[in-house]
Each structure stands twice: as structure tokens, then as C-alpha cells.
Amino acid sequence: MKLATRTLILLLVGLACIGVPQRAAADAVWGTGLVFSATEPGFEGYYEYCYHIYWDTTEYGGQGLSHSTIYLALGECVCACDPGYFGHRVPAGLAYGEESCEIDMYSTFDCLGDPHFPLDGPTMKFEPDETNCELGVTGWMHVCYFSLFPPTEPGIFEDHLGIKFGQNILTGDLDGVIPFCECANPTEHGTWSTIKAMYR
């Protein structure tokens, strides 16, 4: 399914089912997440996790976005760092900033966590390709990744979203789903080319 079509579906389903999250006055990052059965060639049997992430750093010095991170809460999961449990879209999605800035986003799985944030355990980081423009103070992104882990029950995951802007970091809440630890043999579900995708 094309990214633009999936973005529209996510937006419509999100509005109908969980709504666009209401931002607290001091929030600099907030978002929603949904999950699908993956249809991408090479990722059959995987789940595709997709997120709308919004940011606004106006009240924090007005510096543009450097990257965004999702904390996966899999620190106690013994197989979370094994090859094959996560894969990447290339690009992972698009971000939309100020003055019509539209940027491809690329994902990186970090088993030990994003070193910019104090949360231990696996994270998925999304960084912009700033060849043509730079993301500014406000904007939103639609990004996806693949995982063999099934989704949690929908809920609000406090401080599971993070952003870095300049030398600053802030966290916010994610409304939706994240992967749930369920260990199996990943080679039963995916090809070796898919397994290698996590090392992009």
C-alpha cells in the first residue's frame, strides 16, 4: 500500500477510533500509533506499526527538530535484540515542517536505547534527511516500522515519545499501541533479507 494512501487511512481511522490526542499546554511532543498486518514484500508475517508524531518547541527556545524516538518498553524482553524481530521501511515515512518543508525520515533500531534519553531498553529512532530543508519548530511526521512482536492493548503510554532539538530533549505521551514481547524463532516468519534489514 502506498505511503500516501496509508497516511490517509491512518488519519481517518485515528480520528474515528482514538481521536487526535489533545495536547497539554506544556507538551512539546505527542502522538498516536496504530498497527496493521504487513503487506510489504519480504515482511510477510510481520506487524507494521505506524505513528503520527507532532512536535512544537515554541515554548522551549524555538529550535528545530533533530530527531524523534519511540521508547518500546522491551527492556525485560529476552529476545528483543535478536536479529529479525524488527525491520525498516526505506524511507520510514515523511515529516512536514514549516514553510512547506517535506522530508524523508529514516529509522534506526537501538537495542540499548537512544543515548540522548535516560530510558534504558530498545528504541526506534527517526531521523530526517535534511538535504533540501530542515524541520522547524513545529510540524508532524508519519512513520512506520516492522516487528514480529504483536501489539499491546491500546492505551496511553506516558513519556514513550521523545524529541531532540538543539541540545534539548523532551518526552511526551503516545496514544495507541506499541509492540508486546512474545519470543519465537524469527527465521520462521521472515527471510534472511528481512533479518538483515535491521542492520541498514
Side-chain angles (χ1 to χ4, degrees):
M1 184 180 292
K2 291 183 178 179
L3 183 60
T5 303
R6 187 176 296 280
T7 300
L8 179 59
I9 291 172
L10 272 172
L11 181 59
L12 294 176
V13 172
L15 289 172
C17 297
I18 56 179
V20 175
Q22 295 302 308
R23 171 181 173 243
D27 284 350
V29 56
W30 66 103
T32 59
L34 295 171
V35 64
F36 305 88
S37 294
T39 59
E40 188 92 358
F43 289 96
E44 296 86 353
Y46 280 69
Y47 296 92
E48 184 174 9
Y49 290 86
C50 294
Y51 299 88
H52 282 318
I53 300 173
Y54 308 80
W55 74 89
D56 183 347
T57 63
T58 305
E59 299 177 19
Y60 300 92
Q63 293 176 297
L65 184 76
S66 170
H67 71 262
S68 180
T69 294
I70 298 177
Y71 173 60
L72 300 174
L74 293 170
E76 302 300 319
C77 184
V78 296
C79 64
C81 297
D82 291 351
Y85 278 95
F86 288 92
H88 304 278
R89 270 187 167 279
V90 182
L94 290 171
Y96 303 88
E98 301 161 338
E99 299 179 358
S100 302
C101 181
E102 181 179 314
I103 289 182
D104 285 334
M105 301 295 291
Y106 292 88
S107 58
T108 304
F109 174 76
D110 194 324
C111 177
L112 300 178
D114 186 335
H116 295 98
F117 294 89
L119 298 172
D120 293 329
T123 58
M124 191 67 72
K125 180 167 69 172
F126 300 96
E127 295 180 283
D129 175 2
E130 296 182 329
T131 302
N132 298 318
C133 60
E134 295 182 1
L135 294 173
V137 175
T138 63
W140 68 279
M141 69 181 74
H142 170 76
V143 287
C144 301
Y145 63 86
F146 300 104
S147 180
L148 287 177
F149 292 131
T152 60
E153 291 294 324
I156 297 177
F157 298 90
E158 295 183 359
D159 294 320
H160 276 58
L161 287 177
I163 54 171
K164 182 177 185 296
F165 52 105
Q167 299 302 311
N168 305 306
I169 59 168
L170 288 170
T171 59
D173 298 345
L174 173 65
D175 187 351
V177 294
I178 57 175
F180 175 79
C181 179
E182 189 174 277
C183 295
N185 183 353
T187 58
E188 295 175 359
H189 300 278
T191 65
W192 283 111
S193 60
T194 299
I195 290 172
K196 289 186 289 186
M198 74 171 288
Y199 295 108
R200 182 186 62 78

